[in-house]
Amino acid sequence: MQDRKHTPVKELLTSTEVDREVTVKGWVRTKRGNSFVQFIALNDGSTINNIQVVADMTKFSEEELKQVTTGAAVGVTGTLVKSTGAGQTVEIQATQVFVYGVADPEKFPLQPKKHSLEFLREIAHLRFRTSTFSAVFRIRHALTFAIHKFFNDRGFYNIHSPIITGSDAEGAGEIFRVTLLNAKNPPLKEDGTVDYSQDFFGKETNLTVSGQLEAELGALALSKVYTFGPTFRAENSNTSRHLAEFWMIEPEVAFADINDNMTLAQDMLVSVVKYILENCEDDLKFLSGRLLDEEKSKPEAERSPLELIEKLKFVTENDFVRLTYTEAIEILRESKPNKKKQFNYLINEWGADLQSEHERFLVEKHFKKPVILYNYPAAIKAFYMKQNDDGKTVAAMDILFPGIGEIVGGSQREEVYEKLHRRITEVGIEEKSLWWYLETRQFGTVPHAGFGLGFERLMMFVTGMTNIRDVIPFPRFPKNAEF
RNA sequence: UCCUUCUUAGCUCAGCUGGUUAGAGCACAUGACUGUUAAUCAUGGGGUCGCUGGUUCAAGUCCAGCAGAGGGAGCCA
């Protein structure tokens, strides 16, 4: 059995070539039946669907199949035949069953029934074995591939930006320090502060919060680049939309402005969602059903108006709304919830930072489609963003998605040395730490733009999962680094 | 970090204004049944009621602290 070549379940289920001997290897989902015939639902992760193995009990002893329990790893050889039952078109009439690894039914935590996502999160080492999570992670792979394909097709180069960096320059959040110094007794300088010159890198280092600055360096030579890698934020964020370790896609394009940037982001989102619609139909159907099921227990007002696949098609078939921050403020100021004082933060004047309630109003109530907001007040945005001629806004843009909020944040970058330098001083960043970034504005600087896409946020949208901890295999968040 | 709800069997949950031996469904074990689809039916085993302390004759139930989880908010992607 161990030597025998086996066929993926996915292949067998779509096979029209029956009455031939086949071998499958996978994990048992359920076994049921009686003393005359037993049915084993086998899954090998190649598809959401199981293949049904039929064991005629005149050919097998009870003892032989005793270890074939939910969770056990087995190999089966038999004849692929048309099924006489209703649930499947083909099945395997077993001639030989081999148990690779048992799963004690008293102890194996997964049952052939619904488990709460919270419980499965506690057994993340086994949750791949469930239909929901195998579907989610197959889609995660497909989405990764679709993103690389999109950029490759458009002539972008993938840049591997460093994970350990010496700059926390972006100010994008709290950093995770990387050090080999003895935490209990670090070397000290004369003034009593830690002497990082004795550390591994000879300076303070941390895990990256963004690959953007490095991507810019690449774009100013290769014209079109993107990064796709893990980023780390030590924020004490306890929400269903934040992780301490998450994956980010950051394209950067030379000779491009804020409008090109918005078009690129929209094209990318439409393209990758289309790819998933075309290539992950079975998994999407399952997740759509799961979502509908879950929403049944919610009050009608909170249910989403579209089911998952319709929601994805809606994004690929409709234009995103583009409006300036200033226009958004006008709409919000005149909106019903603002006049009736239903917002927790009322919009009174230009310059206010938008809260999630405002973003949700625009996306879910007012426009009912993805919204791109651009030209934000400089005061509420990062130092590297292109300062507009009006003297008060920067060429920044955010893409807001229904149910998820901000999925993309980007901008045209400030390419003029003097303006960038002045901004760095204003914000109080140490110029020395960014000498290399500033230098690119002195040697062949050009207008350029890029954005950051939170991969897990996109995963949430595509899979309909509502907690970000369920779209990454092993989530990292405050008080948890298990597995 | 803030607000709020929750923590009872392997899982999902019930347990009233504190009062005998803490319940159900599923799962598991045993048995029955000639093709099941989360199979069905019968029987059975399974609990330090999150942890620590307090109030009380008496605490799963009331109070306090701690820990963890869910939802919302902030920070953001």
Side-chain angles (χ1 to χ4, degrees):
Chain A
M1 169 62 69
Q2 286 100 318
D3 302 336
R4 223 182 282 246
K5 269 198 179 164
H6 62 285
T7 314
V9 169
K10 188 183 183 179
E11 220 173 282
L12 292 178
L13 287 177
T14 50
S15 174
T16 47
E17 204 187 315
V18 291
D19 300 324
R20 59 183 169 117
E21 183 175 86
V22 295
T23 298
V24 285
K25 298 177 181 180
W27 293 266
V28 176
R29 285 291 172 80
T30 64
K31 185 180 72 169
R32 53 182 171 264
N34 49 51
S35 51
F36 300 91
V37 62
Q38 299 262 323
F39 302 92
I40 302 159
L42 201 65
N43 187 284
D44 68 354
S46 62
T47 159
I48 187 98
N49 301 306
N50 305 326
I51 193 155
Q52 174 157 283
V53 173
V54 185
D56 182 342
M57 294 311 281
T58 57
K59 294 177 191 152
F60 292 93
S61 69
E62 294 262 353
E63 204 52 38
E64 270 178 290
L65 295 187
K66 206 167 168 114
Q67 292 185 319
V68 180
T69 57
T70 300
V74 301
V76 174
T77 297
T79 315
L80 187 70
V81 296
K82 275 191 181 143
S83 178
T84 53
Q88 56 284 318
T89 50
V90 293
E91 64 192 18
I92 296 172
Q93 279 290 345
T95 52
Q96 198 187 341
V97 175
F98 175 80
V99 177
Y100 278 91
V102 298
D104 182 349
E106 288 278 6
K107 291 178 186 152
F108 187 66
L110 294 173
Q111 300 159 21
K113 70 158 199 170
K114 267 209 147 144
H115 286 102
S116 69
L117 295 173
E118 291 83 13
F119 171 64
L120 293 173
R121 226 169 275 151
E122 291 170 8
I123 50 166
H125 58 310
L126 296 173
R127 69 177 178 170
F128 289 107
R129 310 260 189 109
T130 64
S131 298
T132 298
F133 284 97
S134 65
V136 164
F137 294 126
R138 273 189 298 271
I139 288 178
R140 190 175 165 113
H141 161 78
L143 196 57
T144 303
F145 181 77
I147 286 165
H148 282 298
K149 183 176 181 327
F150 172 82
F151 285 119
N152 184 62
D153 288 352
R154 293 204 170 200
F156 281 68
Y157 297 108
N158 183 212
I159 297 285
H160 290 146
S161 55
I163 289 170
I164 301 172
T165 74
S167 66
D168 58 344
E170 209 205 339
E174 293 296 313
I175 53 162
F176 285 103
R177 172 115 32 235
V178 175
T179 180
L180 287 183
L181 296 181
N182 186 338
K184 282 181 189 154
N185 186 23
L188 299 177
K189 289 191 287 195
E190 278 180 15
D191 61 5
T193 58
V194 176
D195 183 6
Y196 285 102
S197 70
Q198 295 188 41
D199 205 346
F200 185 87
F201 295 106
K203 62 184 290 195
E204 285 189 64
T205 50
N206 54 274
L207 296 179
T208 184
V209 292
S210 162
Q212 182 204 313
L213 301 187
E214 287 88 353
E216 282 187 52
L217 313 184
L220 293 174
L222 302 174
S223 289
K224 294 190 281 188
V225 302
Y226 70 105
T227 70
F228 190 162
T231 49
F232 308 86
R233 307 271 166 97
E235 299 284 354
N236 192 9
S237 296
N238 292 288
T239 82
S240 53
R241 302 183 311 283
H242 292 86
L243 290 166
E245 176 181 296
F246 64 101
W247 289 66
M248 197 151 58
I249 295 105
E250 294 175 291
E252 196 69 37
V253 183
F255 308 105
D257 64 16
I258 185 77
N259 290 308
D260 300 324
N261 203 29
M262 289 191 274
T263 303
L264 177 68
Q266 181 173 343
D267 286 354
M268 188 208 67
L269 289 167
V270 168
S271 164
V272 299
V273 169
K274 247 187 206 156
Y275 181 90
I276 298 301
L277 281 168
E278 285 163 10
N279 291 279
C280 303
E281 210 186 336
D282 286 352
D283 289 328
L284 281 181
K285 269 187 192 155
F286 177 84
L287 291 171
S288 173
R290 198 201 73 83
L291 199 58
L292 285 175
D293 225 40
E294 198 172 73
E295 292 203 333
K296 272 184 200 159
S297 59
K298 281 189 184 171
E300 206 160 328
E302 285 173 33
R303 293 181 206 169
S304 50
L306 297 176
E307 62 86 31
L308 182 61
I309 294 172
E310 288 170 346
K311 198 176 72 174
L312 298 183
K313 281 190 180 149
F314 187 82
V315 164
T316 62
E317 286 162 9
N318 289 277
D319 247 352
F320 297 10
V321 178
R322 288 186 195 188
L323 78 163
T324 64
Y325 166 87
T326 307
E327 289 163 343
I329 286 289
E330 273 315 304
I331 291 171
L332 287 168
R333 206 191 334 230
E334 297 304 315
S335 71
K336 238 193 227 170
N338 200 54
K339 288 187 164 169
K340 287 189 171 175
K341 308 201 170 176
Q342 286 162 347
F343 282 143
N344 286 323
Y345 296 87
L346 294 177
I347 297 289
N348 293 315
E349 53 193 43
W350 193 92
D353 209 349
L354 299 182
Q355 307 291 320
S356 17
E357 58 180 345
H358 306 129
E359 297 178 350
R360 289 180 80 154
F361 173 81
L362 290 171
V363 174
E364 290 162 23
K365 296 268 155 51
H366 191 82
F367 291 110
K368 296 194 165 84
K369 57 169 93 170
V371 171
I372 311 182
L373 285 177
Y374 65 102
N375 287 351
Y376 279 86
I380 58 173
K381 288 291 178 182
F383 75 90
Y384 50 73
M385 295 182 176
K386 176 73 187 166
Q387 296 158 43
N388 287 327
D389 292 338
D390 60 14
K392 51 181 193 175
T393 63
V394 289
M397 64 108 175
D398 285 348
I399 300 185
L400 310 176
F401 261 37
I404 292 151
E406 189 180 335
I407 195 165
V408 162
S411 68
Q412 187 175 333
R413 320 305 189 190
E414 184 54 76
E415 85 277 15
V416 179
Y417 177 84
E418 289 74 21
K419 286 186 177 179
L420 182 62
H421 186 266
R422 194 186 321 135
R423 196 81 183 104
I424 284 178
T425 326
E426 272 172 23
V427 189
I429 295 172
E430 209 183 325
E431 191 183 328
K432 236 174 33 189
S433 68
L434 280 178
W435 66 272
W436 44 274
Y437 187 69
L438 275 162
E439 210 167 77
T440 58
R441 270 61 171 175
Q442 293 174 306
F443 302 137
T445 188
V446 297
H448 60 288
F451 61 84
L453 167 75
F455 184 60
E456 282 78 16
R457 297 247 173 113
L458 182 59
M459 273 294 293
M460 289 171 78
F461 180 74
V462 169
T463 59
M465 301 298 281
T466 52
N467 193 316
I468 201 164
R469 296 169 186 184
D470 295 330
V471 295
I472 187 167
F474 302 104
R476 297 290 178 254
F477 51 93
K479 301 273 188 281
N480 193 301
E482 192 69 50
F483 308 107

